[in-house]
Every structure is written in C-alpha cells, then in structure tokens.
Amino acid sequence: MDLIFFGMQGAGKGTLGKSIAERYGMKIFETGGELRKLAQEESELGKKIKSIIEAGHLVSDEVVMEIVENFLSHLDKNSSVLFDGIPRKVEQAKLLNDLLLKHNREYKGLLIDIKKETALRRLTTRRICKTCKAVYSADYNKTNCEAKTANGEQCDGELITRSDDNPSAIETRLNAFENETVPAIKIYEDRLIKIDGEPRIEEVEKLAISALDTIMKV
Ligand code: AMP
C-alpha cells in the first residue's frame, strides 16, 4: 500500500514521513527534495527550478511528473512508497492517479491537519540541517544537527533557515496550498485518513500509527 501525504507546509510531513516510512519499510518520494537536488545543478533547468522554489511558486507539472514517472518505473513492485509533496494541484492529482493505476499500485491519502497560524509560526521559526536536511523547531536551541548518520555518527551539520522560508515565499506557498492543493485533496476524500497535526510531533506520530497499523498490516 502506498501513502500520499498531505498537509500544509510546516505540518510535519517530512519528519513524520521518515518515522512512518521506517516503521512500515517504505521508500520516500520527497518531491521538494528531488527538485532541490535538480536546483543545485548548473544547467538552465537547474537555475530555473532554483528561482521558482525560492519565490515559493510551483515547478511545472511536466518537470515534476517526469521525475515521478522515472521513480516509479525503476521501483521494485514489492516496495511501498510514501509520496510527500505530490500532488499539489488537481491536474497533478489526475496525472499521479493515472500513473499509479498504470503501475498497478494501491494507495491511500493521509492528511496532517494544522491551522494556518500554526503553519506560519512553524515556518518562520524552523531551521534545517545544511547537510542531512533534518528539520528543527524553535525549541531546539543548539547550532548543529544531532541526527545520526547512516554509520551511527552524529551528523553535526550546521543549522540554517531554508531559502524559501522567507515571509514573501511563505505567503505564496500557503496561498498555493489553500487555492490549489485543498481542491486536489478533495479528489482523495473516499480514501483519506485525517490526523490532527497540532500536537507535538511525538503525539502526531502516535495518532498516525494508530490509524495506519491495521491498513499497513504490522
Ligand atoms: P516542499 O519541500 O514540499 O515544501 O517543496 C519545496 C518547493 O518545491 C515548493 O515550494 C515548490 O516550489 C517545489 N515543489 C515541491 N513539490 C512540488 C509539486 N508537486 N509541484 C510543483 N512544485 C513543487
């Protein structure tokens, strides 16, 4: 079973996605992360994507769907996938559902629900690790990352503000969520699990696990 994660920016999709994917042995498709990798390239496409992301706008469906198609076509049939950051609008939902059907994949949606004020507060105060991209909320007051690397050492990367976590891009991104992503979420209404994303992440994780354990067959 694949899961499509929905939630306003700052809902905790990335952090929760990592623990959920680990619990159920899933692969994560993180759309923003894939696009940020492309944005680091010196190519014309890389530069274009970088400026779109920094302004808080959406990258074209053509580019985004090509990355998803490529990911799905190299995927082993037995792995399940957690999609984070796609679909962001109705057209992408239709294209993604067609692709999932074509690849015979079963899926459900999971919405982490937060208020706009919560999103604003979290986005304007969060920091990310420059090296491993782990996200830290305002109550973490150290300057370096305490996440563990694959070989068990401390990452220790510098914590920075994400380039699109600036007031103007945040406003643009939250408006895009309301105007474009909310209508896309409606398409999944009959297969959507909703959880409250307002509590602390540990609490949200418990809510997600109790909703998912039966369908993910743990
Ligand atoms: P995120 O890390 O999910 O907040 O995404 C960061 C940025 O990547 C977004 O603000 C968009 O510029 C771009 N992006 C991520 N997902 C998509 C998508 N599905 N469609 C278009 N652009 C996207």
Side-chain angles (χ1 to χ4, degrees):
M1 175 75 71
D2 294 339
L3 290 175
I4 304 178
F5 262 37
F6 292 107
M8 210 178 270
Q9 290 78 357
K13 294 190 296 296
T15 310
L16 184 67
K18 278 193 196 125
S19 57
I20 292 297
E22 195 178 323
R23 183 174 177 89
Y24 303 117
M26 306 173 84
K27 291 195 184 327
I28 300 180
F29 180 82
E30 194 211 345
T31 321
E34 294 298 324
L35 290 168
R36 279 188 286 276
K37 270 188 230 156
L38 275 180
Q40 279 169 8
E41 292 177 7
E42 279 303 319
S43 60
E44 277 313 302
L45 179 65
K47 287 182 198 156
K48 197 170 163 193
I49 293 177
K50 184 168 189 279
S51 70
I52 294 174
I53 291 180
E54 286 181 356
H57 295 301
L58 291 180
V59 174
S60 74
D61 294 350
E62 199 191 350
V63 170
V64 173
M65 295 317 298
E66 192 180 321
I67 306 175
V68 189
E69 168 99 71
N70 185 43
F71 169 81
L72 282 174
S73 58
H74 289 97
L75 189 70
D76 148 25
K77 279 197 190 70
N78 299 319
S79 345
S80 50
V81 182
L82 190 155
F83 291 96
D84 172 356
I86 186 155
R88 281 243 196 352
K89 50 189 190 169
V90 168
E91 187 56 30
Q92 284 185 4
K94 290 182 184 155
L95 293 168
L96 179 66
N97 293 350
D98 288 349
L99 262 185
L100 292 171
L101 188 68
K102 180 174 137 194
H103 289 269
N104 292 317
R105 307 201 61 94
E106 284 183 51
Y107 56 97
K108 284 204 183 284
L110 182 114
L111 171 65
I112 313 168
D113 205 16
I114 58 167
K115 295 198 266 296
K116 191 170 178 184
E117 305 91 88
T118 309
L120 268 172
R121 177 171 41 77
R122 290 184 184 170
L123 294 177
T124 49
T125 56
R126 75 179 180 183
R127 290 174 301 160
I128 61 158
C129 170
K130 199 172 173 181
T131 311
C132 76
K133 316 292 180 225
V135 181
Y136 288 87
S137 59
D139 51 19
Y140 182 77
N141 51 20
K142 298 182 192 147
T143 53
N144 289 66
C145 179
E146 63 178 10
K148 293 269 178 281
T149 60
N151 54 17
E153 285 164 14
Q154 189 177 332
C155 166
D156 209 33
E158 184 193 348
L159 300 190
I160 55 165
T161 299
R162 228 170 85 164
S163 62
D164 58 350
D165 281 345
N166 63 74
S168 134
I170 289 173
E171 183 66 24
T172 308
R173 285 152 66 210
L174 294 182
N175 285 342
F177 181 84
E178 273 170 359
N179 300 330
E180 311 212 48
T181 311
V182 169
I185 299 174
K186 294 216 167 79
I187 295 181
Y188 297 84
E189 220 150 48
D190 57 347
R191 54 173 88 211
L192 190 67
I193 300 157
K194 284 188 204 164
I195 55 169
D196 182 9
E198 289 287 335
R200 291 180 62 80
I201 190 72
E202 299 78 13
E203 201 49 46
V204 178
E205 193 178 317
K206 281 188 200 149
L207 296 173
I209 287 172
S210 75
L212 291 172
D213 266 1
T214 34
I215 49 171
M216 302 305 288
K217 301 188 183 75
V218 159

